Amino acid sequence: MATWGFGLRAKSMLALLLACLLALVPAGLIGWQVLDSVRNHFGEAYARNLTLLKRQSILAPISRDLALALRQADSEVTRQWLRDEQDPDKRALFFKEAEGYRKDFRSHSYFLASAAGLGFYFNDDKKGVSDQPRHLLSPDQEGDSWFFSTLRQSEPYNINVNDDVHLKITQVWLNVLIRDGDRVLGVSGTGLDLTAFLQEFINTGEAGVTPMIVTRSGAIQAHPDPALIAINQAASTASQAQTLAGQLQQPHEQAALAAALARAETQPAEVATLRVHLDGKEQLLALAYLPELKWHVVTAVDLKAARVLDQGWLNTAVGALVLLLGILLLAFAYAVERLVLRPLKKLQQSASALAGGNFDVSLPPPSRDELGDLSQAFGIMATRIRNNTEELEAQVLARTQALETANQDMRRAHKQINDSIDYASLIQRAILPKQQLDQLLGPHHFVLWRPRDVVGGDFYVFRSEGERYMVGVVDCAGHGVPGALMTMLARAALDHAMTQEGIAAPAAILTQTDATMRAMLQHCELPRAIATNMDAGLVYVDRERGLLRFAGAKIGLYWSDGQEVGEIKGGRRAIGDRRMGSYRDTELQMQPGTTYYLATDGFLDQAGGELGYGYGNTRFAQLLLAHARLPMAEQADALDQALESYRGEYPQRDDITILSFRFE
């Protein structure tokens, strides 16, 4: 028996030892993951710092030459000569001053191209100093296209890599416009030798690191491989193969690059990073923007090839960590098996029976240690669980029945509420003067009425007296059921006011409506949070006299003939506001072919677009101007589609009403 017991313990220990050894496998994987994380972290920091250093090393010398070129282009001596190139004194003075600039430029060279005479002047140490043009520029010569493209640009300067076929040199040119007020007299500047520029600023000699410079559009302007550099970007568009995006094969990486370039331009002090596949390898791109030069400095780092870290000490540290973890696991496994697992196995059968729902378990004999207390607690727990289970089953049955009854009552109440709201919607639509408008105005009008909920707080009105009639829109405070109830009060007050004042005085109708609403609500004790005001816009139309008369309470009258658009503002205060408003009539002559619009603020305040801003008055006016000459039905569809396109995924914020009419 002793031998058998020893063999069993040996097998248990061997199993635990194997388990601990197997635990070393994930420990090793974790160690490598930690190493990779550390390398990625330091790699990103390395790429960011290297990019910032490159940006500074490029910015300082080029900014100096650019500042000198801007000063030379802004010189009054330069402008005076270009106004009269044949004057020998002005010519001599210019070239005398230009010689001073040439000595200060980094390349000891400068150029000037005249917009009037088309002469291209260039002086440097190799070609000497001359006051005669090196050649004449022509718009028919492809090599001169940079000049004519620069003359048309609005920005004061551009930086362009160009192969000058006349001078037989390839340089990074700083092209600065020479302006005399609004008139462009020519282009001047300097150049940096491309080979020297690449050697000094781009070639690092570090393995796994590829610095480059790209334009805002992504065209490569500096790269260790000269074949990838896009020449003459001032006058043409770079081929896809000479852009940074063209080096990426996956569309989602190209989109991520475009987003990173845009983000770097908005945050020039920061360095944007992203991972891409470049040259068949996964690499880290770090981008920093130079707003002064309109260039992006980009560093591509192959984290596996670049010497970001000294990996030897990391490997040693990870190995030591794995070894220490293995020793701790072995010690822990032995202690757990000896002190905990073996005694607990005796309680396994009892616990399994208890988990299976058998509460009459057979427990081990009690002892005077913690396991004995655990055995006794098992017995007490089994008794309590049995009692609690029976009690809970009875409670669950009773509560299930009560919940089902409550759900049935809730479904009935919900159906009644929905039926009531649908019925209210039918009533609200029935009081709208749609048929009257269709009969009298026909195809010369349209109405967009889109409540936010089933019912809403917007409505429109129409009343006719022969060839004279009144049209208007009203926006009551609130929406949904409260807004719909307010429309009932507002409609009654408006009808009363039109009966009292007639339809020819919109301002008097608004004033009378305001008084009626205040009289109806003055004895109601309403909380301050409940708004009872309303916006309104009314137009009286006299077809015989060709006259329109408008008055509004926070609603204006828009008009457009397709050539221009305008708005007649309404009063600044709503009807029922805490401070009483003042309204006045505005008369204007009826213009055939002009479309008139009354709109509540639901359209103007609708959130949408990329940033979730409201549609706004300016965008609304431009929309009306673009579609004012369309037939009215097509206008309605165009406005509806424009709103849906702008709204996107944003919910409708408020009730929307637009009433439009025209006279042919």
Side-chain angles (χ1 to χ4, degrees):
M1 291 295 294
T3 303
W4 179 84
F6 175 78
L8 181 61
R9 285 195 298 271
K11 290 179 180 179
S12 299
M13 291 300 297
L14 181 60
L16 285 173
L17 179 61
L18 290 174
C20 291
L21 290 175
L22 290 175
L24 292 177
V25 174
L29 293 176
I30 292 173
W32 282 112
Q33 289 178 354
V34 169
L35 175 61
D36 194 55
S37 265
V38 170
R39 183 175 59 190
N40 289 338
H41 173 75
F42 282 98
E44 286 199 12
Y46 172 78
R48 290 175 187 272
N49 291 334
L50 183 59
T51 302
L52 289 174
L53 287 174
K54 286 293 180 185
R55 180 175 72 174
Q56 191 59 34
S57 66
I58 292 172
L59 179 61
I62 294 185
S63 293
R64 176 183 174 276
D65 275 12
L66 180 59
L68 285 172
L70 288 168
R71 261 177 44 195
Q72 184 185 22
D74 193 43
S75 171
E76 185 59 30
V77 172
T78 303
R79 281 195 289 266
Q80 286 183 4
W81 177 55
L82 289 179
R83 293 191 195 106
D84 185 8
E85 294 185 49
Q86 305 306 318
D87 189 311
D89 294 334
K90 294 178 180 179
R91 173 187 292 267
L93 182 60
F94 165 75
F95 281 98
K96 182 178 181 180
E97 181 185 65
E99 184 64 15
Y101 282 104
R102 186 184 72 81
K103 294 177 180 179
D104 289 337
F105 281 128
R106 183 183 182 89
S107 62
H108 300 299
S109 69
Y110 74 90
F111 75 88
L112 183 142
S114 170
L118 299 180
F120 181 82
Y121 301 85
F122 179 83
N123 290 319
D124 65 355
D125 289 338
K126 293 181 179 180
K127 298 184 181 298
V129 177
S130 172
D131 63 354
Q132 297 301 314
R134 301 292 180 177
H135 62 273
L136 293 179
L137 301 166
S138 171
D140 298 328
Q141 293 292 328
E142 182 178 355
D144 298 336
S145 59
W146 65 270
F147 171 69
F148 298 98
S149 175
T150 303
L151 291 180
R152 294 190 297 269
Q153 74 177 28
S154 58
E155 297 180 351
Y157 63 88
N158 66 60
I159 302 177
N160 184 37
V161 178
N162 189 34
D163 183 9
D164 194 301
V165 296
H166 303 287
L167 300 178
K168 295 182 173 55
I169 55 175
T170 301
Q171 295 199 113
V172 180
W173 298 94
L174 308 181
N175 303 321
V176 182
L177 285 172
I178 305 171
R179 293 185 178 274
D180 184 13
D182 295 333
R183 179 186 173 195
V184 177
L185 299 178
V187 180
S188 68
T190 185
L192 300 174
D193 181 70
L194 182 61
T195 303
F197 181 80
L198 293 177
Q199 184 65 33
E200 185 172 355
F201 299 115
I202 299 302
N203 296 333
T204 62
E206 299 182 32
V209 177
T210 307
M212 62 189 84
I213 295 173
V214 300
T215 65
R216 297 177 65 188
S217 62
I220 298 175
Q221 294 292 276
H223 192 280
D225 183 1
L228 297 179
I229 297 176
I231 302 298
N232 198 10
Q233 280 299 287
S236 61
T237 303
S239 66
Q240 185 69 6
Q242 292 178 321
T243 64
L244 182 54
Q247 308 304 309
L248 309 180
Q249 302 300 321
Q250 301 182 17
H252 73 275
E253 292 185 349
Q254 295 175 353
L257 173 63
L261 291 173
R263 187 168 63 254
E265 291 185 22
T266 59
Q267 299 174 339
E270 303 295 330
V271 178
T273 60
L274 72 156
R275 293 182 181 274
V276 297
H277 288 83
L278 189 64
D279 296 332
K281 297 172 289 186
E282 183 182 25
Q283 300 196 45
L284 176 68
L285 288 186
L287 308 95
Y289 184 59
L290 287 168
E292 299 86 354
L293 309 180
K294 299 179 179 60
W295 275 354
H296 289 273
V297 178
V298 183
T299 306
V301 180
D302 182 358
L303 296 179
K304 295 181 179 179
R307 295 185 58 84
V308 178
L309 294 173
D310 185 1
Q311 201 163 341
W313 69 269
L314 278 177
N315 292 337
T316 303
V318 171
L321 179 63
V322 171
L323 179 61
L324 178 60
L325 181 61
I327 295 173
L328 291 176
L329 284 173
L330 288 174
F332 178 74
Y334 177 78
V336 169
E337 195 278 336
R338 180 75 177 175
L339 301 175
V340 179
L341 295 181
R342 189 181 299 174
L344 284 179
K345 188 175 274 190
K346 297 179 181 179
L347 293 174
Q348 180 180 6
Q349 293 181 348
S350 299
S352 299
L354 186 63
N358 182 11
F359 304 115
D360 297 324
V361 295
S362 176
L363 299 174
S367 59
R368 301 178 62 183
D369 56 13
E370 291 82 357
L371 291 176
D373 296 339
L374 180 61
S375 178
Q376 183 179 2
F378 257 76
I380 297 173
M381 181 178 64
T383 302
R384 290 183 177 177
I385 289 177
R386 180 175 59 247
N387 296 336
N388 290 339
T389 301
E390 294 173 353
E391 182 179 353
L392 285 174
E393 288 177 351
Q395 291 179 359
V396 167
L397 180 61
R399 291 183 179 179
T400 301
Q401 294 174 349
L403 183 60
E404 179 61 29
T405 301
N407 285 337
Q408 292 177 357
D409 294 340
M410 186 182 299
R411 285 193 291 269
R412 283 194 296 270
H414 190 264
K415 184 177 184 304
Q416 291 176 354
I417 292 172
N418 285 341
D419 291 345
S420 298
I421 293 176
D422 291 339
Y423 184 58
S425 176
L426 290 175
I427 295 174
Q428 188 175 42
R429 290 176 183 274
I431 69 171
L432 295 175
K434 183 177 184 304
Q435 292 184 353
Q436 297 94 313
L437 282 169
D438 290 341
Q439 290 174 358
L440 290 178
L441 299 183
H444 301 300
H445 88 289
F446 72 81
V447 177
L448 286 181
W449 185 70
R450 291 176 52 175
R452 194 196 74 169
D453 304 312
V454 179
V455 292
D458 282 9
F459 69 97
Y460 54 95
V461 296
F462 178 79
R463 178 176 290 193
S464 66
E465 295 178 358
E467 289 296 313
R468 302 178 304 134
Y469 47 85
M470 170 73 70
V471 294
V473 296
V474 181
D475 179 5
C476 296
H479 35 71
V481 174
L485 293 177
M486 280 298 300
T487 64
M488 300 296 104
L489 290 177
R491 176 60 186 269
L494 268 173
D495 287 344
H496 175 73
M498 284 190 285
T499 301
Q500 290 283 77
E501 302 292 339
I503 66 172
I509 294 174
L510 294 179
T511 303
Q512 180 62 39
T513 302
D514 183 61
T516 302
M517 290 292 292
R518 294 179 188 275
M520 286 190 291
L521 298 173
Q522 65 179 347
H523 298 300
C524 298
E525 296 183 359
L526 298 175
R528 294 178 61 88
I530 297 179
T532 58
N533 58 297
M534 64 181 185
D535 304 340
L538 302 176
V539 178
Y540 166 71
V541 180
D542 189 339
R543 295 292 299 274
E544 295 178 348
R545 299 169 56 195
L547 176 69
L548 296 180
R549 187 174 295 131
F550 165 75
K554 295 188 71 175
I555 289 182
L557 174 65
Y558 288 88
W559 61 269
S560 177
D561 57 2
Q563 300 295 324
E564 56 181 337
V565 64
E567 179 190 7
I568 301 174
K569 299 286 188 179
R572 296 177 60 187
R573 298 199 176 276
I575 294 175
D577 200 348
R578 280 184 287 184
R579 295 180 61 183
M580 187 173 295
S582 175
Y583 314 107
R584 63 183 182 85
D585 291 328
T586 300
E587 290 189 1
L588 59 157
Q589 288 298 316
M590 188 184 303
Q591 298 295 331
T594 297
T595 307
Y596 301 90
Y597 307 85
L598 290 169
T600 62
D601 59 4
F603 199 110
L604 305 177
D605 293 343
Q606 176 60 51
E610 296 182 357
L611 302 177
Y613 293 157
Y615 197 86
N617 295 69
T618 301
R619 190 180 283 108
F620 182 67
Q622 293 172 350
L623 178 66
L624 299 182
L625 181 63
H627 301 94
R629 299 302 301 167
L630 292 177
M632 301 302 282
E634 295 182 19
Q635 277 200 59
D637 292 340
L639 266 62
D640 192 52
Q641 291 175 7
L643 180 64
E644 284 300 308
S645 175
Y646 182 77
R647 182 170 71 89
E649 299 298 325
Y650 288 91
Q652 183 172 333
R653 176 180 290 178
D654 198 358
D655 304 319
I656 295 172
T657 301
I658 299 178
L659 190 154
S660 177
F661 55 91
R662 76 155 62 123
F663 309 100
E664 299 297 341

